Every structure is written in structure tokens, then in C-alpha cells.
Amino acid sequence: MNDQERANQIIPAIGGKENVVSLTHCMTRLRFVLKDESKADGEVVKAIDGVMGVTQKGGQYQLIIGPTVANLYEAVNQQLGELDQEPVAKQEDAPASEKEQQGRGKAIFENILNYISGSLTPLIPILLVASFCKTIAVVIGPTLLKLVSESSDIYQLFTFVGDAGFYFLPVFIGWSAAKKLNTSIPIGMLLGAVMLHPTFMAMADKGSKFTVYGIPTTPQNYASTVLPMILTIAVMKWVETQWKKYSPNILQIFLVPFGTLLVMLPLMLVVFGPLGGFLGTYIGEALIALNSFARPLAVAVVGATFAFIVITGMHPVLFTYLFTAFPAMGYDNFLMPGILASSWAMTGVAFACAYKFKAKDRKSLTMGYIITWFFGGVGEPLLYGLSVPYKTPFVASAIAGAITGLVAGLLNLTAYVLNISNGIYGLAGFVGGSTYNYVVLGITIVVGLVSGFVTMLFFKLDEGVVKN
């Protein structure tokens, strides 16, 4: 059966075109939002050739297809044509009970997580390709095989292509988050580009003063950040809806995008952008204060929270600690050991996920994340492709990171070279000191891998949890 024939069977089985609000897809699934899920016949859907299973989660009716999902998506989407993007409102007949309210609270929390993961999942190809480019540069460059020098064109090409995949994350998030919420993708991307404009970045580097409509703000470097745009697009959806609601039809083509941009600029540059920086400053100061009187605990906290700090884009704030600590002390037994603990714990969790996944494509994809991290020194695919979308690996990584960090802190693992690289190259930062330090480094790595693997075994790994 070809994709067109499958599409002809799928649409009636889910209640017909009139029952479909929207359709998206991820790496392996078609994801429908239906007006009434009771109209979909799950048994009929599962009997269709090429449909491996059906699951209902987070307001989505998901058909498990496999790696050929993109082709089937095109066929189904072509037959659906234009859709009514607004779901049917549910009538509230009576005040909600306490149990219903708790259920709604849980649903809200799940929707928030689904929005975040749904905004990150479409970026996996970008992260993978960028990671492989950086891996190629490292492998052929002077740090490994020494086939080319740092000044060679091929080395520089793969380096800046790899860097671009992470540097422009605000623009990519502007696209994926806007698509997830069905709001203006062009305006979402434009807002992301504003945060990375060279003039704005120069003001951030110089610490220049700046105002938006007279409201003072602090320009910051938002390259490679995620949270500011996640928050921005969430609010932009509501702002755009209001402009559509109150703008005259004849002027909407101009008023809606321009009005949305005008409202979002101060919200983004004054509120959501600086929020990550301010929060990062407080977290960084708290961790440094904790390190001054309880170092093992401080390293454990870094090991547990560093993945979250990276997601929010606050990690550059913590790196400023390294740039001041190393010249003064000549070593670091706080932040770099904590980062190492977090990274290797997450890797142990990833190995457990590769072991637990039933689908071969998910196993191989996870192993690709691990290889990219190990040889390329890039952990974003592990974080955004595995930990965040599937949720439980993120929790397991935090627990294992805390355990590993505590061990590193108690044994006083110390970095003697300022090095914020990841993967195998991060180990270079711990060269120096006595033989004891190398022993502790080995113990920390083993604890990270083992604790991550074992911890993840106690968690459920739902292969249908990823949202688009």
C-alpha cells in the first residue's frame, strides 16, 4: 500500500477531515489534534497497513508510523487541505470538582512541557547536522588526526557551520515554537533575529545602556539561548490573537504582524530576554556562595542542575566564575567537576535509553547522540533530542548528576586547565596535579556512567511521549 492509499484510509478512520484541527509529525509519528477523539476508531486505524500503533497523549491523537512518517504526512496533509485551526470549545456544565481541578493542573503542566519539547523536537536535524560538522572539524583538525591545520579552509568551514547551528537557536526557536502554537512563523523568526542583530550584540558586549520605547533594558548576548524565545512566542500567540480579533478585516494584513511586533519588542527585550540572565546571576551567585562553605554539595548541585541551566541559556553566566577563579587560584574544584559530572551522568542515562528503546531507529538515533557528544564535544542533541522530549531521562540525569557531583566534590576532583569543552575533550581540563587527581577523574566518570544507567532503569521510558 502506498502513502496515498494509506491516507485515504486514515482520514475516515479518525472521523473525517471535518474532525481534524491540525496535523504535525515528529521523527516517527503523525500527530493529529482532533475536535472529538471519540469519533476516531483506534482499532480500524491500527489495522491500516503501515500503522504500528496508536496512542492518545497531551491532546494529540498519535499514529506510530516509523522513519517514513514524513512521506505519509505529505500525503495526508495534501488530502486534508485547509483546516479549521481552532478546536471546538467544551461546554462547562458544572463547577469542577477538586479531582477535576487537579487533573486540569496536571494537564496544564503537561501542556507546558509538551510546548517546550514540541518546540525543540523539530530542531533535532539542525542540532545533529551542526554537531556532525563540529565532529568532522575536531577529527580532521590538529586536536586529533592532525590532517589539516586550524587555518585551513575545510577546518574553518565545518567549524563555523557547526557553530551556526547552535548560535542561531533563537531564530530556529522562533520558527519551531511559532509553528507549534500556530502563530506567525515569520514574526517569530524576526524576533529571534532581533536578539542576534550585530548592533544589539555589540551593545551587549560593551555593556551599553538601551531603552525600548523609553523603558530601560540591559542588552545581553542571547546566542544559543532557548528560554527567552520559548517565553516570547508563548505570549506572542495571545498578542497576535488579540490583534486579529480587534483589527478591521481590511487592515489585518498590515496591522496584525506589525502590531504584534510592536507589542512584543518591549516584552522580549525588557522582560523575557533579561529574565534568563537575571535568574542566571542569582543562581550563579548562590552556587558560588554554597561552594565557599559546602563544596561537595555545591558540586552536586551543579551536577544536578547544569542541564537546566543550559536550556535556559544561563550557563555563560557561570562561566564568568571560571574566568575569574582560574587567574586567581590556578585551578577549579567546583564548576568544571560539576559540569563533568552532569555530562557523564547524562551519557549513562542515554546508554540506558538506547538499551530500553524498542524501536531500532530510536536506539540508533540515541547512540548517534552519544557518539556526537563523545567525539564532537556537543551535548545539545543529547539534551534537546533525548532528555527534554522524553522527560524521564531529564529527571534521571539530574539525580545521577547529583550523585556523581557529590562523589567528585567529596574526592576533591580538580581542574587545572581552563577548558569548557565537552565529551572526551573535556577531560583535558583535568590534566595536572598528582596521580590521585587522575584516579578521582576515572572514578567520577565511572560513577557518572553507572549511576546514570542504573537510575534510568528505574524510570519509565515512554516512546510516545515526544511531542511535535
Side-chain angles (χ1 to χ4, degrees):
M1 184 179 295
N2 60 39
D3 291 323
Q4 288 295 337
E5 292 171 334
R6 291 189 182 94
N8 289 334
Q9 294 188 18
I10 288 172
I11 294 175
I14 60 175
K17 173 183 174 180
E18 63 277 4
N19 193 38
V20 180
V21 175
S22 64
L23 170 65
T24 56
H25 75 90
C26 60
M27 301 293 287
T28 58
R29 300 182 180 221
L30 285 178
R31 302 178 180 275
F32 293 90
V33 175
L34 304 179
K35 295 179 180 178
D36 185 355
E37 291 188 356
S38 65
K39 292 183 179 180
D41 192 329
E43 294 303 317
V44 174
V45 175
K46 285 187 284 188
I48 298 173
D49 179 42
V51 178
M52 303 177 187
V54 174
T55 183
Q56 297 167 257
K57 203 171 185 66
Q60 291 184 335
Y61 194 84
Q62 306 171 17
L63 276 60
I64 305 171
I65 304 300
T68 61
V69 65
N71 296 330
L72 181 57
Y73 166 81
E74 294 296 336
V76 176
N77 203 40
Q78 183 179 2
Q79 294 194 26
L80 288 175
E82 294 294 327
L83 295 172
D84 175 14
Q85 296 293 329
E86 296 297 327
V88 175
K90 296 182 179 179
Q91 183 70 31
E92 298 293 342
D93 298 323
S97 65
E98 181 178 350
K99 184 176 181 180
E100 289 173 333
Q101 291 177 350
Q102 292 176 350
R104 289 177 184 173
K106 181 180 179 181
I108 291 173
F109 180 70
E110 287 185 351
N111 286 337
I112 292 174
L113 293 180
N114 290 336
Y115 165 55
I116 295 174
S117 62
S119 299
L120 297 174
T121 301
L123 304 185
I124 290 177
I126 296 176
L127 300 176
L128 276 176
V129 171
S131 299
F132 280 124
C133 286
K134 291 176 72 70
T135 301
I136 291 173
V138 170
V139 170
I140 67 175
T143 57
L144 198 59
L145 297 182
K146 298 184 171 88
L147 298 178
V148 297
S149 67
E150 290 185 355
S151 60
S152 68
D153 289 344
I154 190 68
Y155 180 86
Q156 294 185 63
L157 173 65
F158 282 113
T159 297
F160 68 67
V161 170
D163 290 341
F166 301 101
Y167 182 90
F168 291 103
L169 267 178
V171 179
F172 303 146
I173 291 290
W175 161 71
S176 60
K179 182 179 179 182
K180 172 67 178 177
L181 296 183
N182 191 35
T183 189
S184 175
I185 293 176
I187 299 301
M189 296 179 68
L190 176 59
L191 288 171
V194 168
M195 302 183 82
L196 299 176
H197 192 277
T199 300
F200 187 79
M201 298 287 275
M203 288 190 292
D205 292 339
K206 296 177 182 177
S208 304
K209 302 295 182 183
F210 186 67
T211 64
V212 183
Y213 309 155
I215 306 172
T217 187
T218 304
Q220 297 185 35
N221 187 331
Y222 295 115
S224 304
T225 61
V226 172
L227 185 60
M229 284 306 297
I230 291 287
L231 296 173
T232 296
I233 300 301
V235 175
M236 190 187 89
K237 168 67 174 178
W238 181 85
V239 172
E240 184 185 52
T241 301
Q242 300 309 305
W243 278 102
K244 287 181 178 179
K245 183 177 180 181
Y246 294 107
S247 298
N249 291 337
I250 194 172
L251 299 177
Q252 279 197 1
I253 191 172
F254 166 75
L255 281 181
V256 173
F258 186 60
T260 301
L261 178 70
L262 290 179
V263 173
M264 291 310 303
L265 285 175
L267 291 176
M268 179 180 72
L269 297 178
V270 178
V271 181
F272 302 131
L275 179 62
F278 293 150
L279 186 57
T281 298
Y282 294 134
I283 290 178
E285 290 179 352
L287 289 174
I288 292 170
L290 181 62
N291 181 53
S292 64
F293 67 88
R295 179 174 300 116
L297 183 59
V299 179
V301 171
V302 173
T305 62
F306 188 72
F308 171 78
I309 292 172
V310 170
I311 290 175
T312 61
M314 299 181 295
H315 51 294
V317 178
L318 294 183
F319 291 156
T320 60
Y321 166 80
L322 292 176
F323 300 143
T324 56
F326 258 96
M329 300 186 297
Y331 65 89
D332 170 46
N333 55 6
F334 161 47
L335 190 56
M336 286 179 59
I339 295 173
L340 180 90
S342 175
S343 299
W344 286 90
M346 187 181 296
T347 305
V349 169
F351 276 117
C353 290
Y355 169 75
K356 297 184 73 170
F357 275 135
K358 295 180 176 62
K360 291 183 178 180
D361 59 329
R362 294 178 186 269
K363 288 179 179 289
S364 60
L365 191 61
T366 303
M367 290 305 300
Y369 294 156
I370 296 172
I371 292 171
T372 297
W373 170 82
F374 188 76
F375 288 108
V378 182
E380 279 84 351
L382 269 178
L383 183 58
Y384 296 135
L386 180 69
S387 293
V388 173
Y390 292 95
K391 302 179 181 67
T392 52
F394 190 87
V395 178
S397 296
I399 295 172
I403 295 171
T404 309
L406 184 61
V407 171
L410 289 172
L411 298 179
N412 196 33
L413 177 63
T414 304
Y416 293 95
V417 179
L418 180 54
N419 178 12
I420 56 176
S421 300
N422 218 326
I424 190 173
Y425 312 104
L427 303 181
F430 297 86
V431 174
S434 64
T435 304
Y436 172 81
N437 198 57
Y438 294 108
V439 174
V440 173
L441 176 62
I443 292 174
T444 302
I445 292 173
V446 171
V447 170
L449 291 173
V450 173
S451 65
F453 190 93
V454 173
T455 302
M456 188 60 213
L457 293 181
F458 288 94
F459 282 88
K460 179 181 178 182
L461 184 61
D462 186 353
E463 298 192 36
V465 77
V466 175
K467 299 293 181 286
N468 207 19

